[in-house]
Amino acid sequence: MSRLMASIRSTWEHDPRKDPNELVYVLLGIGALVFPLAVQVATRGSGSFLISQAADAGVYVLLAIGLNVVVGFAGLLDLGYAAFFAIGAYTYAFVASDHTEFTPIHQAIHIPFWIALLVGMFAAAGAGAVLGAPTLRLRGDYLAIVTLGFGEIVPRLFRNLGDWTSGVNGISALDTPTLPVWLNGPWSGDSLQLVQNFKIIDPLAYYVIMVILVAICIVLVSNLRRSRLGRAWMAVREDEVAAAAMGVNTVGVKLLAFSIGAAFSGFAGTFYGAKLSLVSPENFGFTVSITILIMVVLGGMGNIPGVIVGSLLIYYVIFNVLPGLPNMAADFANSIGAPGLNTPSGEYPGLSGEVQRLKFLIFGLILVLTMLLRPQGLIPSRQRAEELQKGVHEDTVIEDLNAETT
Amino acid sequence: MTVEATAAPILRIDHVMKRFGGLVAVDDVTFDVKRGEIFALIGPNGAGKTTLFNGITGIFPPTGGRIIFDGREITGAKPHQVASFGIARTFQNIRLFEYMSSLDNVRLGQHCRMHAKLWDSLFKTPAEHREEQRVTERAIELLQFVGIERHTHTYARNLPYGSQRRLEIARALATNPSLLLLDEPAAGFTPQEKVELMGLVHKIVDQGITVFLIEHDMKVVMGVSRRIVVLDHGEKIAEGTPDEVRRDKRVIEAYLGTQH
Ligand SMILES: Nc1ncnc2c1ncn2[C@@H]1O[C@H](COP(=O)(O)OP(=O)(O)OP(=O)(O)O)[C@@H](O)[C@H]1O
Ligand SMILES: [Mg+2]
């Protein structure tokens, strides 16, 4: 009996599904706390833009955590993830602005931000369920194609349903989120100016809310991963036939993964719309879907801290490093005493122009190199790391024995 | 030694057919498996034994006939439904979740007996926590039962071959079945290992679980089963006690015919 107890205790302690990444979480946590301070100090108080950008990066972190449930946990390839992001953002535009007054509804709707977050989440999850229910019955490859199509259709619908969405112009002047009135604190006065009349104005406020939302999502998704459902996803990803024979409703659990992923995307979309106060069909194209997928794969599919690090890194590269690259190149040419490189001549647009032209090629090269050097992602889950070792270890023992018997 | 087989069959295979295009893999097969017995299905390569298991468990539903389990018709039911009704199986070519630990493989087996809903999993409710603990305890018991508890935390793929076969049995038992289908559980075993495995099969039957096993090697089966059905080219060619089957002319022909 005591042997059984000891055995159980060691199980709770060495569960292979436990994230081996406490250190990453601690570092991320400290980073999130220190970041606003450090930025303000480094920029002598004018770091609002960077803090606002960090809050935007948080949107991508949410998106990546959500897509990780679909791709990393359940092994479903979703190539149209941005569609749910768009649905979340447009949902906010519909339920929290004067816009609906100019649609056939003729009545403005203003739902508080916090409730709108849930509305956006459920709208996207619903869309996910409707799309997934027929598709997930088919073989895995179909899902990739169907989601790819869905990702193309949704922004197009928002662009072309002019009566409802004001088409290419998008919808602007969305409500500024407010803190719930009962939530009193230093921010409810004007002295701090983070929040005026309970309105959330300062980027720092968005940043703080984003950090809290991300933290909550990390806890929830980690719980999922270590639950009955998380185990079922893993099993379905490995061997659907065996999982079904062991009593897992494979279509059901895949549908749940797909909808939960969509819910995250809708949630992030609502926040995004609210912060930007604007939605436009151009912001949700295929590149967004692919960017999020890259974040997940490069960070370490299936592993939450890996996915977070991946999304922050890619966000930083796309929105800070790449735009700055042309100037960096020009400065570099000057500093090595070759300013001639910067002079445009004929077809040649000067070094910065050339780099501007090639920056996505450079981005692509960085990605290819990273994946070649670390195919399992930056911080992979233990399983993924093992799976990618498959070719290295010997499988032949088992196969030989099977061969003997047949 | 075993629980006495009672009259009402636990499984009735009733004129079951399975075609793959032009090939008739199972051809109008009828027999009963009695409650509490160790029942064996034998036959040469390609006889249709695995196909029949796939038909029972809903992986490839039969193209004709009926399958009745515990008095209820389950023909065409989905695999996960069949499992929840109480039929568990192992696979001829081991299908473990290779990158999950032995423990997780067995915990997964309990999936359809668990109650945690999405809400419980998201918020780790106390009920969910208790259930996980219970499931873990049961999984460890089962690993001990099949004798591989020392591999509790090993990835299934890193287990020795024999332990993988045992893990598959533990995972199937985790679904809490009343009927266990074993597809060549002793394939690739040494004679010594085969004896040990048959010991395990007896232990399982002693728990009140009916065992229905496929075996390639007639000698192994003769020792454990009271009743045997023989398939050849999809057809049932014999049914009876080991002695009756061994003396059956068509069985001898079928086996001699394929073993050159
Ligand atoms: N999915 C399938 N599609 C087409 N044909 C199949 C399929 N599964 C089995 N068969 C065919 O059905 C026949 C019976 O195969 P089955 O696997 O049931 O034989 P078996 O009795 O289990 O043989 P073994 O002893 O080799 O395991 C074979 O001719 C096989 O090729
Ligand atoms: Mg077979």
Side-chain angles (χ1 to χ4, degrees), chain A residues 3-5 7-8 10-12 14-17 137 219-224 226-229 231-236 238-250 253 256 260 382-383 386-390 393-395 397-398 401-402 404-406, chain B residues 45 59 79-80 83-84 87 89 91-101 103-104 107-109 111-112 114-116 118 121-124 128-129 131-133 135-137 140-141 144 149 152-153 155 157-159 161 164-165 171-172 175 184 187-188 216:
Chain A
R3 186 156 130 248
L4 184 67
M5 292 316 291
S7 191
I8 289 165
S10 86
T11 300
W12 289 104
H14 310 280
D15 188 334
R17 280 175 310 142
R137 282 170 210 288
V219 171
L220 296 185
V221 173
S222 308
N223 283 350
L224 275 185
R226 284 182 285 116
S227 71
R228 166 183 191 240
L229 191 56
R231 214 158 33 223
W233 284 334
M234 233 178 274
V236 166
E238 280 203 30
D239 187 335
E240 234 180 292
V241 172
M246 293 306 122
V248 176
N249 178 354
T250 53
V253 298
L256 260 179
I260 290 171
R382 245 199 264 180
Q383 258 144 328
E386 288 255 343
E387 276 173 45
L388 281 153
Q389 295 273 315
K390 192 172 183 163
H393 286 306
E394 279 311 308
D395 273 38
V397 186
I398 292 168
L401 281 165
N402 272 340
E404 254 170 43
T405 66
T406 45
Chain B
N45 280 142
I59 291 170
H80 72 268
S84 70
I87 302 181
R89 71 171 290 178
F91 295 88
Q92 182 173 356
N93 47 346
I94 308 178
R95 296 185 82 142
L96 287 166
F97 307 114
E98 296 191 1
Y99 297 96
M100 288 165 65
S101 65
L103 179 70
D104 268 340
R107 286 201 282 204
L108 181 107
H111 181 92
C112 63
M114 292 174 72
H115 305 287
L118 178 59
S121 301
L122 272 173
F123 297 99
K124 275 248 167 273
E128 199 264 4
H129 192 77
E131 186 174 65
E132 278 293 317
Q133 209 148 6
V135 161
T136 305
E137 281 168 33
I140 290 169
E141 272 170 29
Q144 286 172 351
E149 69 274 20
T152 303
H153 298 291
Y155 277 119
R157 71 184 305 268
N158 296 334
L159 257 55
Y161 174 77
Q164 294 198 349
R165 285 236 177 260
R171 184 181 66 176
T175 66
E184 303 202 19
H216 206 74

Side-chain angles (χ1 to χ4, degrees), chain B residues 202-239:
Chain B
H202 281 295
K203 256 168 68 183
I204 293 169
V205 175
D206 287 344
Q207 308 232 314
I209 298 167
T210 308
V211 174
F212 177 7
L213 61 88
I214 292 177
E215 183 48 66
H216 206 74
D217 180 349
M218 237 205 301
K219 274 175 255 125
V220 173
V221 130
M222 298 301 173
V224 280
S225 307
R226 300 255 184 94
R227 284 195 325 120
I228 297 172
V229 157
V230 189
L231 283 192
D232 186 28
H233 295 295
E235 282 179 65
K236 180 172 102 172
I237 56 168
E239 175 173 5

Side-chain angles (χ1 to χ4, degrees), chain A residues 406, chain B residues 20 23 25 43-52 60 92 184 216:
Chain A
T406 45
Chain B
F20 291 110
L23 176 88
N45 280 142
K49 307 181 294 291
T50 300
T51 304
L52 188 62
F60 291 123
Q92 182 173 356
E184 303 202 19
H216 206 74

Side-chain angles (χ1 to χ4, degrees), chain B residues 10-256:
Chain B
I10 190 164
L11 182 74
R12 167 161 285 174
I13 304 296
D14 185 15
H15 298 287
V16 166
M17 296 273 290
K18 178 67 194 179
R19 292 172 187 279
F20 291 110
L23 176 88
V24 185
V26 176
D27 191 359
D28 196 21
V29 170
T30 300
F31 61 84
D32 284 350
V33 179
K34 297 201 184 89
R35 204 175 293 275
E37 72 175 338
I38 301 177
F39 184 88
L41 178 63
I42 66 172
N45 280 142
K49 307 181 294 291
T50 300
T51 304
L52 188 62
F53 268 19
N54 286 339
I56 297 168
T57 52
I59 291 170
F60 291 123
T63 39
R66 299 188 311 154
I67 295 161
I68 292 152
F69 172 65
D70 235 349
R72 128 160 78 175
E73 176 160 1
I74 60 163
T75 328
K78 298 261 180 309
H80 72 268
Q81 294 171 319
V82 174
S84 70
F85 296 153
I87 302 181
R89 71 171 290 178
T90 64
F91 295 88
Q92 182 173 356
N93 47 346
I94 308 178
R95 296 185 82 142
L96 287 166
F97 307 114
E98 296 191 1
Y99 297 96
M100 288 165 65
S101 65
S102 305
L103 179 70
D104 268 340
N105 270 274
V106 181
R107 286 201 282 204
L108 181 107
Q110 297 176 73
H111 181 92
C112 63
R113 305 291 173 221
M114 292 174 72
H115 305 287
K117 294 278 175 292
L118 178 59
W119 177 268
D120 301 300
S121 301
L122 272 173
F123 297 99
K124 275 248 167 273
T125 56
E128 199 264 4
H129 192 77
R130 278 195 301 276
E131 186 174 65
E132 278 293 317
Q133 209 148 6
R134 192 154 42 73
V135 161
T136 305
E137 281 168 33
R138 174 81 183 126
I140 290 169
E141 272 170 29
L142 283 168
L143 288 170
Q144 286 172 351
F145 181 75
V146 302
I148 56 167
E149 69 274 20
R150 65 185 173 287
H151 297 303
T152 303
H153 298 291
T154 316
Y155 277 119
R157 71 184 305 268
N158 296 334
L159 257 55
Y161 174 77
S163 303
Q164 294 198 349
R165 285 236 177 260
R166 284 167 180 269
L167 176 55
E168 246 203 343
I169 294 174
R171 184 181 66 176
L173 289 174
T175 66
N176 197 13
S178 44
L179 175 64
L180 178 63
L181 311 182
L182 302 174
D183 196 344
E184 303 202 19
F189 278 14
T190 61
Q192 171 60 28
E193 285 174 320
K194 283 186 184 180
V195 170
E196 284 168 14
L197 187 96
M198 290 311 154
L200 177 61
V201 169
H202 281 295
K203 256 168 68 183
I204 293 169
V205 175
D206 287 344
Q207 308 232 314
I209 298 167
T210 308
V211 174
F212 177 7
L213 61 88
I214 292 177
E215 183 48 66
H216 206 74
D217 180 349
M218 237 205 301
K219 274 175 255 125
V220 173
V221 130
M222 298 301 173
V224 280
S225 307
R226 300 255 184 94
R227 284 195 325 120
I228 297 172
V229 157
V230 189
L231 283 192
D232 186 28
H233 295 295
E235 282 179 65
K236 180 172 102 172
I237 56 168
E239 175 173 5
T241 64
D243 273 341
E244 288 164 359
V245 165
R246 194 170 14 216
R247 274 186 261 113
D248 190 287
K249 247 202 156 136
R250 291 181 69 188
V251 176
I252 295 166
E253 263 170 36
Y255 268 82
L256 290 179

